Coordinates of all heavy atoms in Angstrom, one line a residue:
M476 N 12.3 -23.3 30.8 CA 12.2 -21.8 30.9 C 12.7 -21.2 29.6 O 13.7 -21.5 29.1 CB 13.1 -21.4 32.1 CG 13.1 -19.9 32.3 SD 14.1 -19.4 33.8 CE 14.4 -17.8 33.4
R477 N 11.9 -20.2 29.1 CA 12.2 -19.5 27.9 C 13.1 -18.4 28.2 O 12.9 -17.6 29.1 CB 10.9 -19.1 27.2 CG 10.1 -20.3 26.7 CD 8.8 -19.8 26.1 NE 9.2 -19.1 24.9 CZ 8.3 -18.5 24.1 NH1 7.0 -18.5 24.4 NH2 8.7 -17.8 23.0
R478 N 14.1 -18.2 27.4 CA 15.0 -17.1 27.5 C 14.6 -16.0 26.6 O 14.2 -16.2 25.5 CB 16.5 -17.6 27.3 CG 16.9 -18.7 28.2 CD 18.3 -19.1 28.0 NE 19.0 -18.0 28.7 CZ 20.4 -18.0 28.8 NH1 21.1 -18.9 28.3 NH2 21.0 -17.0 29.4
I479 N 14.8 -14.8 27.1 CA 14.5 -13.6 26.2 C 15.7 -13.4 25.3 O 16.8 -13.3 25.7 CB 14.2 -12.4 27.1 CG1 13.0 -12.6 28.0 CG2 14.1 -11.2 26.2 CD1 12.8 -11.5 29.0
K480 N 15.4 -13.3 24.0 CA 16.4 -13.0 23.0 C 16.5 -11.5 22.8 O 15.4 -10.8 22.8 CB 16.1 -13.7 21.7 CG 16.2 -15.2 21.8 CD 15.9 -15.8 20.5 CE 15.9 -17.3 20.6 NZ 15.6 -18.0 19.3
Y481 N 17.6 -11.0 22.6 CA 17.7 -9.6 22.2 C 18.9 -9.4 21.2 O 19.8 -10.3 21.1 CB 18.0 -8.7 23.5 CG 19.3 -8.9 24.1 CD1 20.4 -8.0 23.8 CD2 19.5 -9.9 25.0 CE1 21.6 -8.2 24.4 CE2 20.7 -10.1 25.6 CZ 21.8 -9.2 25.3 OH 23.0 -9.4 25.9
F482 N 18.9 -8.3 20.5 CA 19.8 -8.1 19.4 C 20.6 -6.8 19.7 O 19.9 -5.7 19.6 CB 19.2 -8.1 18.1 CG 18.4 -9.4 17.8 CD1 17.1 -9.5 18.1 CD2 19.1 -10.4 17.2 CE1 16.4 -10.7 17.8 CE2 18.4 -11.6 16.9 CZ 17.1 -11.8 17.2
P483 N 21.8 -6.8 20.1 CA 22.5 -5.6 20.4 C 22.8 -4.7 19.2 O 23.1 -3.6 19.3 CB 23.8 -6.1 21.1 CG 24.0 -7.4 20.5 CD 22.6 -8.0 20.3
E484 N 22.7 -5.3 18.0 CA 23.1 -4.6 16.8 C 21.8 -3.8 16.4 O 20.8 -3.8 17.0 CB 23.5 -5.5 15.7 CG 24.7 -6.4 16.0 CD 25.9 -5.6 16.3 OE1 26.1 -4.6 15.6 OE2 26.8 -5.9 17.1
V485 N 22.0 -3.1 15.2 CA 20.9 -2.4 14.6 C 19.7 -3.3 14.3 O 19.9 -4.4 13.8 CB 21.4 -1.6 13.3 CG1 20.2 -1.0 12.6 CG2 22.5 -0.7 13.7
M486 N 18.5 -2.9 14.7 CA 17.4 -3.7 14.3 C 17.2 -3.8 12.8 O 17.5 -2.8 12.1 CB 16.1 -3.1 14.9 CG 16.1 -3.0 16.4 SD 15.1 -4.2 17.3 CE 13.7 -4.4 16.4
E487 N 16.8 -4.9 12.3 CA 16.7 -5.1 10.9 C 15.8 -4.0 10.2 O 16.1 -3.6 9.1 CB 16.1 -6.4 10.5 CG 17.1 -7.5 10.6 CD 16.6 -8.8 10.0 OE1 15.7 -8.8 9.2 OE2 17.2 -9.9 10.4
I488 N 14.8 -3.6 10.8 CA 13.9 -2.6 10.2 C 14.7 -1.3 9.9 O 14.4 -0.6 9.0 CB 12.7 -2.3 11.1 CG1 11.6 -1.6 10.3 CG2 13.0 -1.5 12.3 CD1 10.3 -1.6 10.9
E489 N 15.7 -1.0 10.6 CA 16.5 0.2 10.4 C 17.6 -0.1 9.4 O 18.2 0.9 8.9 CB 17.2 0.7 11.7 CG 16.1 1.1 12.7 CD 16.7 1.3 14.1 OE1 18.0 1.2 14.2 OE2 16.0 1.7 15.0
A490 N 17.9 -1.3 9.0 CA 19.0 -1.6 8.1 C 18.5 -1.6 6.6 O 19.3 -1.7 5.7 CB 19.6 -3.0 8.5
Y491 N 17.2 -1.6 6.4 CA 16.7 -1.7 5.0 C 15.9 -0.4 4.7 O 15.4 0.3 5.6 CB 15.8 -2.9 4.9 CG 16.5 -4.2 5.1 CD1 16.4 -4.8 6.3 CD2 17.3 -4.7 4.1 CE1 17.1 -6.0 6.5 CE2 17.9 -5.9 4.3 CZ 17.8 -6.6 5.5 OH 18.5 -7.7 5.7
V492 N 15.8 -0.2 3.4 CA 15.0 0.9 2.9 C 13.8 0.3 2.3 O 13.9 -0.6 1.4 CB 15.7 1.7 1.8 CG1 14.8 2.8 1.2 CG2 17.0 2.4 2.4
Y493 N 12.6 0.6 2.8 CA 11.4 0.1 2.3 C 10.8 1.1 1.4 O 10.8 2.3 1.5 CB 10.4 -0.2 3.5 CG 10.9 -1.3 4.4 CD1 11.6 -1.0 5.5 CD2 10.6 -2.6 4.1 CE1 12.1 -2.0 6.3 CE2 11.1 -3.6 4.9 CZ 11.8 -3.3 6.0 OH 12.3 -4.3 6.8
T494 N 10.2 0.5 0.3 CA 9.5 1.3 -0.7 C 8.0 1.0 -0.8 O 7.6 0.1 -0.2 CB 10.1 1.1 -2.1 OG1 9.7 -0.2 -2.5 CG2 11.6 1.2 -2.1
A495 N 7.3 1.9 -1.5 CA 5.9 1.7 -1.6 C 5.6 0.6 -2.7 O 4.4 0.3 -3.0 CB 5.2 3.0 -1.9
G496 N 6.6 0.1 -3.4 CA 6.4 -0.8 -4.5 C 6.2 -0.1 -5.8 O 6.1 1.1 -5.8
P497 N 6.3 -0.8 -6.9 CA 6.2 -0.2 -8.2 C 5.0 0.7 -8.4 O 5.0 1.8 -8.8 CB 6.2 -1.4 -9.2 CG 6.7 -2.5 -8.4 CD 6.4 -2.3 -7.0
I498 N 3.8 0.1 -8.2 CA 2.6 0.9 -8.4 C 2.3 1.9 -7.3 O 1.8 3.0 -7.6 CB 1.4 -0.1 -8.6 CG1 0.2 0.7 -9.3 CG2 0.9 -0.7 -7.3 CD1 -0.8 -0.2 -9.9
G499 N 2.7 1.6 -6.1 CA 2.6 2.5 -5.0 C 3.5 3.7 -5.2 O 3.1 4.9 -4.9
T500 N 4.7 3.5 -5.7 CA 5.5 4.7 -6.0 C 4.9 5.6 -7.1 O 4.9 6.8 -7.0 CB 6.9 4.1 -6.5 OG1 7.5 3.4 -5.4 CG2 7.9 5.3 -6.8
R501 N 4.4 4.9 -8.2 CA 3.8 5.8 -9.2 C 2.6 6.5 -8.7 O 2.3 7.6 -9.1 CB 3.4 4.9 -10.4 CG 4.6 4.4 -11.2 CD 4.2 3.8 -12.5 NE 3.6 2.5 -12.3 CZ 2.4 2.2 -12.9 NH1 1.8 3.0 -13.7 NH2 1.9 1.0 -12.6
W502 N 1.8 5.8 -7.8 CA 0.6 6.5 -7.2 C 1.0 7.7 -6.3 O 0.4 8.8 -6.4 CB -0.1 5.4 -6.3 CG -1.3 6.0 -5.7 CD1 -2.5 6.2 -6.3 CD2 -1.5 6.3 -4.3 NE1 -3.4 6.7 -5.4 CE2 -2.8 6.7 -4.2 CE3 -0.7 6.2 -3.2 CZ2 -3.4 7.1 -2.9 CZ3 -1.2 6.6 -2.0 CH2 -2.5 7.1 -1.8
L503 N 2.1 7.5 -5.5 CA 2.6 8.7 -4.7 C 3.1 9.8 -5.6 O 2.9 11.0 -5.3 CB 3.6 8.2 -3.7 CG 3.1 7.3 -2.6 CD1 4.2 6.7 -1.8 CD2 2.2 8.1 -1.6
E504 N 3.8 9.4 -6.7 CA 4.4 10.5 -7.6 C 3.2 11.2 -8.2 O 3.3 12.5 -8.4 CB 5.3 9.8 -8.6 CG 6.6 9.4 -8.1 CD 7.4 8.5 -9.0 OE1 6.9 8.1 -10.1 OE2 8.6 8.3 -8.7
A505 N 2.2 10.5 -8.6 CA 1.0 11.2 -9.2 C 0.3 12.1 -8.2 O -0.1 13.2 -8.5 CB 0.0 10.2 -9.8
L506 N 0.2 11.6 -7.0 CA -0.4 12.4 -5.9 C 0.4 13.7 -5.6 O -0.1 14.8 -5.5 CB -0.5 11.6 -4.6 CG -1.4 12.0 -3.5 CD1 -2.8 12.1 -4.0 CD2 -1.3 11.1 -2.3
R507 N 1.7 13.6 -5.6 CA 2.6 14.7 -5.4 C 2.4 15.7 -6.6 O 2.5 16.9 -6.4 CB 4.1 14.3 -5.3 CG 5.0 15.4 -5.1 CD 6.4 15.0 -4.8 NE 6.9 13.9 -5.6 CZ 7.9 13.2 -5.4 NH1 8.6 13.3 -4.2 NH2 8.3 12.2 -6.2
A508 N 2.2 15.2 -7.8 CA 2.0 16.1 -8.9 C 0.5 16.7 -9.0 O 0.2 17.4 -9.9 CB 2.2 15.3 -10.2
G509 N -0.3 16.3 -8.0 CA -1.6 16.9 -7.9 C -2.7 16.1 -8.6 O -3.8 16.5 -8.9
R510 N -2.4 14.8 -9.1 CA -3.3 14.0 -9.7 C -3.8 12.9 -8.8 O -2.9 12.2 -8.2 CB -2.7 13.4 -11.0 CG -2.5 14.4 -12.1 CD -2.0 13.8 -13.4 NE -0.6 13.3 -13.2 CZ -0.4 11.9 -13.3 NH1 -1.3 11.1 -13.5 NH2 0.9 11.5 -13.1
L511 N -5.1 12.7 -8.7 CA -5.6 11.6 -7.9 C -5.9 10.4 -8.7 O -6.7 10.5 -9.7 CB -6.9 12.1 -7.2 CG -7.4 11.2 -6.0 CD1 -6.4 11.1 -4.9 CD2 -8.7 11.8 -5.5
T512 N -5.2 9.3 -8.4 CA -5.3 8.1 -9.3 C -5.7 6.9 -8.4 O -5.6 6.9 -7.2 CB -4.0 7.8 -10.0 OG1 -3.0 7.6 -9.1 CG2 -3.7 8.9 -11.0
A513 N -6.1 5.8 -9.0 CA -6.5 4.6 -8.4 C -6.0 3.4 -9.3 O -5.9 3.6 -10.5 CB -8.0 4.4 -8.1
A514 N -5.6 2.3 -8.6 CA -5.1 1.2 -9.4 C -6.3 0.5 -10.0 O -7.4 0.3 -9.3 CB -4.4 0.2 -8.5
Y515 N -6.2 0.1 -11.3 CA -7.3 -0.5 -12.0 C -7.0 -2.0 -12.3 O -6.0 -2.3 -12.9 CB -7.5 0.3 -13.3 CG -8.5 -0.4 -14.2 CD1 -9.9 -0.3 -14.0 CD2 -8.1 -1.1 -15.4 CE1 -10.8 -0.8 -14.8 CE2 -9.0 -1.7 -16.2 CZ -10.3 -1.5 -16.0 OH -11.3 -2.1 -16.8
C516 N -8.0 -2.8 -11.9 CA -7.9 -4.3 -12.2 C -8.5 -4.5 -13.5 O -9.7 -4.3 -13.7 CB -8.6 -5.1 -11.1 SG -8.6 -6.9 -11.5
P517 N -7.7 -5.0 -14.5 CA -8.2 -5.3 -15.8 C -9.2 -6.4 -15.9 O -9.9 -6.6 -16.9 CB -7.0 -5.6 -16.7 CG -6.0 -6.1 -15.7 CD -6.3 -5.4 -14.4
K518 N -9.2 -7.3 -14.9 CA -10.1 -8.4 -14.9 C -11.5 -8.1 -14.4 O -12.5 -8.4 -15.1 CB -9.5 -9.6 -14.1 CG -10.2 -10.9 -14.3 CD -9.4 -12.0 -13.7 CE -10.0 -13.4 -13.9 NZ -9.2 -14.5 -13.4
C519 N -11.6 -7.5 -13.3 CA -12.9 -7.2 -12.7 C -13.3 -5.7 -12.8 O -14.5 -5.4 -12.5 CB -13.0 -7.6 -11.2 SG -12.0 -6.7 -10.1
G520 N -12.4 -4.8 -13.1 CA -12.7 -3.4 -13.3 C -12.8 -2.6 -12.0 O -13.1 -1.5 -12.1
R521 N -12.4 -3.2 -10.9 CA -12.4 -2.5 -9.7 C -11.2 -1.5 -9.6 O -10.2 -1.7 -10.2 CB -12.4 -3.4 -8.5 CG -13.7 -4.2 -8.3 CD -13.5 -5.1 -7.0 NE -14.8 -5.6 -6.6 CZ -15.2 -6.8 -6.9 NH1 -14.5 -7.6 -7.7 NH2 -16.4 -7.3 -6.5
L522 N -11.5 -0.4 -8.8 CA -10.4 0.5 -8.6 C -10.0 0.5 -7.1 O -10.9 0.3 -6.3 CB -10.9 2.0 -8.9 CG -11.2 2.2 -10.4 CD1 -12.0 3.5 -10.5 CD2 -9.9 2.3 -11.2
F523 N -8.7 0.6 -6.9 CA -8.2 0.5 -5.5 C -7.4 1.7 -5.2 O -6.5 2.1 -5.9 CB -7.3 -0.7 -5.3 CG -8.1 -2.0 -5.6 CD1 -7.9 -2.6 -6.9 CD2 -8.9 -2.6 -4.7 CE1 -8.5 -3.8 -7.2 CE2 -9.6 -3.7 -5.0 CZ -9.4 -4.3 -6.2
M524 N -7.7 2.3 -4.1 CA -7.0 3.5 -3.6 C -6.9 3.4 -2.0 O -8.0 3.5 -1.4 CB -7.6 4.8 -4.0 CG -6.7 6.0 -3.7 SD -7.3 7.5 -4.4 CE -8.9 7.7 -3.8
P525 N -5.8 3.2 -1.4 CA -4.4 3.2 -2.1 C -4.3 1.9 -2.9 O -5.1 1.0 -2.8 CB -3.5 3.1 -0.9 CG -4.3 2.7 0.3 CD -5.7 3.1 0.0
P526 N -3.4 2.0 -3.9 CA -3.3 0.9 -4.9 C -2.8 -0.4 -4.3 O -2.2 -0.4 -3.2 CB -2.3 1.4 -5.9 CG -1.4 2.4 -5.1 CD -2.4 3.0 -4.1
K527 N -3.2 -1.5 -4.9 CA -2.7 -2.8 -4.6 C -2.0 -3.5 -5.8 O -2.4 -3.2 -6.9 CB -3.9 -3.7 -4.2 CG -4.7 -3.2 -3.0 CD -5.9 -4.1 -2.7 CE -6.7 -3.6 -1.5 NZ -6.0 -3.4 -0.3
M528 N -1.0 -4.2 -5.5 CA -0.3 -4.9 -6.6 C -1.1 -6.0 -7.2 O -0.9 -6.3 -8.4 CB 1.1 -5.4 -6.2 CG 2.1 -4.2 -6.0 SD 3.7 -4.8 -5.6 CE 4.2 -5.7 -7.1
Y529 N -1.9 -6.6 -6.4 CA -2.8 -7.7 -6.9 C -4.2 -7.5 -6.4 O -4.4 -7.1 -5.2 CB -2.2 -9.1 -6.3 CG -0.9 -9.5 -7.0 CD1 0.3 -9.1 -6.3 CD2 -0.9 -10.1 -8.2 CE1 1.5 -9.4 -6.9 CE2 0.3 -10.4 -8.8 CZ 1.5 -10.1 -8.1 OH 2.7 -10.4 -8.7
C530 N -5.1 -7.8 -7.3 CA -6.5 -7.6 -6.9 C -6.9 -8.7 -5.9 O -6.7 -9.8 -6.0 CB -7.4 -7.8 -8.2 SG -9.2 -7.7 -7.8
P531 N -7.5 -8.2 -4.7 CA -7.9 -9.2 -3.7 C -9.1 -10.0 -4.1 O -9.4 -11.0 -3.4 CB -8.2 -8.3 -2.5 CG -8.5 -7.0 -3.0 CD -7.8 -6.9 -4.3
Y532 N -9.8 -9.7 -5.1 CA -11.0 -10.5 -5.5 C -10.6 -11.6 -6.5 O -11.2 -12.6 -6.5 CB -12.0 -9.5 -6.1 CG -12.5 -8.5 -5.1 CD1 -11.9 -7.3 -5.0 CD2 -13.5 -8.8 -4.2 CE1 -12.3 -6.3 -4.1 CE2 -13.9 -7.9 -3.3 CZ -13.3 -6.7 -3.2 OH -13.8 -5.8 -2.2
D533 N -9.7 -11.3 -7.4 CA -9.4 -12.4 -8.4 C -7.9 -12.6 -8.6 O -7.5 -13.3 -9.5 CB -10.0 -12.0 -9.8 CG -9.7 -10.6 -10.2 OD1 -8.6 -10.2 -10.1 OD2 -10.7 -9.9 -10.7
F534 N -7.1 -12.0 -7.8 CA -5.6 -12.1 -7.8 C -4.9 -11.7 -9.1 O -3.8 -12.2 -9.3 CB -5.3 -13.6 -7.4 CG -5.9 -14.0 -6.1 CD1 -6.9 -15.0 -6.1 CD2 -5.6 -13.4 -4.9 CE1 -7.5 -15.4 -4.9 CE2 -6.2 -13.8 -3.7 CZ -7.2 -14.8 -3.7
E535 N -5.6 -10.9 -9.9 CA -5.0 -10.4 -11.1 C -4.0 -9.4 -10.7 O -4.2 -8.6 -9.8 CB -6.1 -9.8 -12.0 CG -5.6 -9.3 -13.3 CD -5.5 -10.5 -14.3 OE1 -5.8 -11.6 -14.0 OE2 -4.9 -10.2 -15.4
E536 N -2.8 -9.4 -11.5 CA -1.8 -8.4 -11.2 C -2.3 -7.0 -11.7 O -2.9 -6.9 -12.8 CB -0.5 -8.7 -11.9 CG 0.6 -7.8 -11.6 CD 1.9 -8.2 -12.2 OE1 2.0 -9.1 -13.1 OE2 2.9 -7.5 -11.8
V537 N -2.2 -6.0 -10.9 CA -2.7 -4.7 -11.2 C -1.5 -3.8 -11.5 O -0.6 -3.6 -10.7 CB -3.5 -4.1 -10.0 CG1 -3.9 -2.7 -10.3 CG2 -4.6 -5.0 -9.6
K538 N -1.5 -3.3 -12.8 CA -0.3 -2.5 -13.2 C -0.7 -1.1 -13.6 O 0.1 -0.2 -13.7 CB 0.3 -3.1 -14.4 CG 0.9 -4.5 -14.2 CD 1.5 -5.1 -15.4 CE 2.1 -6.4 -15.2 NZ 2.6 -7.0 -16.4
E539 N -2.0 -0.9 -13.9 CA -2.5 0.4 -14.4 C -3.1 1.3 -13.4 O -3.8 0.9 -12.5 CB -3.5 0.1 -15.5 CG -4.0 1.4 -16.2 CD -5.2 1.1 -17.2 OE1 -5.3 -0.1 -17.5 OE2 -5.9 2.0 -17.6
L540 N -2.7 2.6 -13.5 CA -3.3 3.6 -12.6 C -4.3 4.4 -13.5 O -3.9 4.8 -14.6 CB -2.3 4.6 -12.0 CG -1.4 4.0 -10.9 CD1 -0.4 5.0 -10.5 CD2 -2.2 3.6 -9.7
R541 N -5.4 4.7 -13.0 CA -6.4 5.6 -13.7 C -6.7 6.8 -12.9 O -6.9 6.7 -11.7 CB -7.7 4.8 -14.0 CG -7.5 3.7 -15.1 CD -8.7 3.2 -15.6 NE -8.5 2.3 -16.8 CZ -9.4 1.7 -17.4 NH1 -10.7 1.8 -17.1 NH2 -9.1 0.9 -18.5
E542 N -6.8 7.9 -13.6 CA -7.1 9.1 -12.8 C -8.6 9.1 -12.4 O -9.4 8.6 -13.2 CB -6.8 10.4 -13.7 CG -6.7 11.6 -12.9 CD -5.9 12.7 -13.6 OE1 -5.0 12.3 -14.4 OE2 -6.1 13.9 -13.2
V543 N -8.9 9.5 -11.2 CA -10.2 9.5 -10.7 C -10.6 10.9 -10.3 O -9.8 11.8 -10.1 CB -10.4 8.6 -9.5 CG1 -10.2 7.1 -9.9 CG2 -9.4 8.9 -8.4
E544 N -11.9 11.2 -10.2 CA -12.4 12.5 -9.8 C -12.0 12.7 -8.4 O -12.1 11.8 -7.5 CB -13.9 12.5 -10.0 CG -14.4 12.5 -11.4 CD -14.0 13.7 -12.2 OE1 -14.1 14.8 -11.6 OE2 -13.7 13.6 -13.4
P545 N -11.7 14.0 -8.0 CA -11.4 14.2 -6.6 C -12.6 14.4 -5.7 O -12.7 15.2 -4.9 CB -10.6 15.6 -6.7 CG -11.2 16.2 -7.9 CD -11.6 15.1 -8.9
V546 N -13.5 13.4 -5.8 CA -14.7 13.4 -5.0 C -14.9 11.9 -4.6 O -14.5 11.0 -5.3 CB -16.0 13.9 -5.6 CG1 -15.8 15.4 -5.9 CG2 -16.3 13.2 -6.9
G547 N -15.6 11.7 -3.5 CA -15.9 10.3 -3.1 C -16.7 10.3 -1.8 O -17.2 11.3 -1.3
V548 N -17.0 9.1 -1.3 CA -17.8 8.9 -0.1 C -16.9 8.2 0.9 O -16.3 7.2 0.6 CB -19.0 8.0 -0.4 CG1 -19.8 7.7 0.8 CG2 -19.9 8.7 -1.5
V549 N -16.8 8.8 2.1 CA -16.1 8.1 3.2 C -17.0 7.1 3.8 O -18.0 7.5 4.4 CB -15.6 9.2 4.2 CG1 -14.9 8.5 5.4 CG2 -14.7 10.2 3.6
E550 N -16.7 5.8 3.7 CA -17.5 4.8 4.2 C -17.2 4.4 5.7 O -18.0 4.0 6.4 CB -17.5 3.6 3.4 CG -18.1 3.8 2.0 CD -18.1 2.6 1.2 OE1 -17.6 1.5 1.6 OE2 -18.7 2.6 0.0
T551 N -15.9 4.6 6.0 CA -15.5 4.3 7.4 C -14.2 5.0 7.7 O -13.5 5.4 6.7 CB -15.3 2.8 7.6 OG1 -15.0 2.6 9.0 CG2 -14.2 2.2 6.7
Y552 N -13.9 5.2 8.9 CA -12.6 5.8 9.3 C -12.3 5.5 10.7 O -13.1 4.9 11.4 CB -12.7 7.4 9.1 CG -13.7 8.1 10.0 CD1 -13.2 8.6 11.2 CD2 -15.0 8.2 9.7 CE1 -14.1 9.2 12.1 CE2 -15.9 8.8 10.5 CZ -15.5 9.3 11.7 OH -16.3 9.9 12.5
T553 N -11.1 5.8 11.1 CA -10.6 5.5 12.4 C -9.9 6.8 13.0 O -9.2 7.4 12.3 CB -9.5 4.4 12.4 OG1 -10.1 3.2 11.9 CG2 -9.0 4.1 13.8
V554 N -10.2 7.1 14.2 CA -9.6 8.2 14.9 C -8.5 7.6 15.8 O -8.8 6.8 16.6 CB -10.6 9.0 15.7 CG1 -10.0 10.1 16.5 CG2 -11.7 9.6 14.8
V555 N -7.3 8.1 15.7 CA -6.2 7.7 16.5 C -5.8 8.9 17.4 O -5.5 10.0 16.8 CB -5.0 7.2 15.6 CG1 -3.9 6.8 16.5 CG2 -5.5 6.1 14.8
E556 N -5.7 8.7 18.6 CA -5.2 9.7 19.5 C -4.0 9.3 20.3 O -3.9 8.1 20.6 CB -6.3 10.1 20.5 CG -7.6 10.6 19.9 CD -8.6 11.0 20.9 OE1 -8.3 11.2 22.1 OE2 -9.8 11.0 20.5
R557 N -3.1 10.2 20.5 CA -1.9 9.9 21.2 C -2.0 10.1 22.7 O -2.7 11.0 23.1 CB -0.7 10.7 20.7 CG -0.3 10.3 19.3 CD 0.9 11.1 19.0 NE 1.2 10.9 17.6 CZ 2.3 11.2 17.0 NH1 3.2 11.8 17.7 NH2 2.5 11.0 15.7
Ligands
ZN1295 ZN1 -10.0 -7.8 -10.0

């Protein structure tokens, strides 16, 4: 018989401060300043928004943000209702 485990102390998720990461923080700061940017992969040239620390296509580290035009195409979306 499996016993249910519980933790009477503070859950770990409440004990830590999570950040958006180095490039995510710079992306959010640029967004707050009114600039729309995307992470640029120097190997394949793809742009990612929201930014990724590593390119999912070639695993290159992504460090640079490039300003992008405030226009685009919504290819998909999800509606969440409470
Ligand atoms: Zn890439």
Side-chain angles (χ1 to χ4, degrees):
M476 180 175 158
R477 295 179 64 184
R478 302 186 74 176
I479 297 173
K480 293 181 182 177
Y481 68 95
F482 301 91
E484 302 295 326
V485 174
M486 299 257 321
E487 280 192 23
I488 195 166
E489 297 171 358
Y491 297 99
V492 175
Y493 293 92
T494 69
I498 197 163
T500 299
R501 287 192 290 129
W502 181 75
L503 288 170
E504 288 171 348
L506 197 59
R507 182 170 44 199
R510 291 182 294 111
L511 194 58
T512 59
Y515 172 75
C516 174
K518 191 169 184 178
C519 68
R521 288 183 169 94
L522 293 166
F523 302 101
M524 187 169 58
K527 298 178 182 302
M528 286 186 65
Y529 292 91
C530 176
Y532 297 94
D533 49 44
F534 307 111
E535 185 77 8
E536 187 175 9
V537 178
K538 297 179 180 176
E539 181 184 346
L540 289 176
R541 289 194 172 180
E542 198 154 335
V543 295
E544 293 291 323
V546 296
V548 176
V549 177
E550 293 184 356
T551 184
Y552 65 94
T553 301
V554 175
V555 178
E556 296 181 25
R557 291 185 189 194

